[in-house]
Amino acid sequence: MSDLKTLFGQNVANRRRELGLSQEALAEATGVTVETISHIERGIHGPRFGLIEKLELVMDMNAESLFKK
């Protein structure tokens, strides 16, 4: 079983790819650095609540789905 940060990161990466966005484009749209997006996608860091809200808007999904398998 993967931890929550890893699961969240995998879901962000998968959705980003589905939308055809680069890490750079997602970083720009959410107001964070590419390094932040990379760290989230690799499960190194978990996002802050404000970033989760921005990811919901940019990626057109709810936060709950970002935490599900």
Side-chain angles (χ1 to χ4, degrees), residues 20-60:
L21 295 172
S22 64
Q23 286 184 337
E24 292 83 4
L26 183 57
E28 185 175 326
T30 55
V32 298
T33 65
V34 174
E35 182 179 39
T36 297
I37 296 298
S38 175
H39 284 180
I40 289 169
E41 289 187 357
R42 291 184 288 149
I44 295 171
H45 298 297
R48 296 177 184 243
F49 289 118
L51 180 54
I52 293 172
E53 291 174 340
K54 290 177 184 177
L55 289 168
E56 282 182 296
L57 292 172
V58 171
M59 299 193 318
D60 192 29

Side-chain angles (χ1 to χ4, degrees), residues 1-2 7 12 16 38 40 42 45 49 63 68-69:
M1 181 174 162
S2 62
L7 178 62
V12 168
R16 176 181 60 76
S38 175
I40 289 169
R42 291 184 288 149
H45 298 297
F49 289 118
K68 289 186 174 182
K69 285 187 179 183

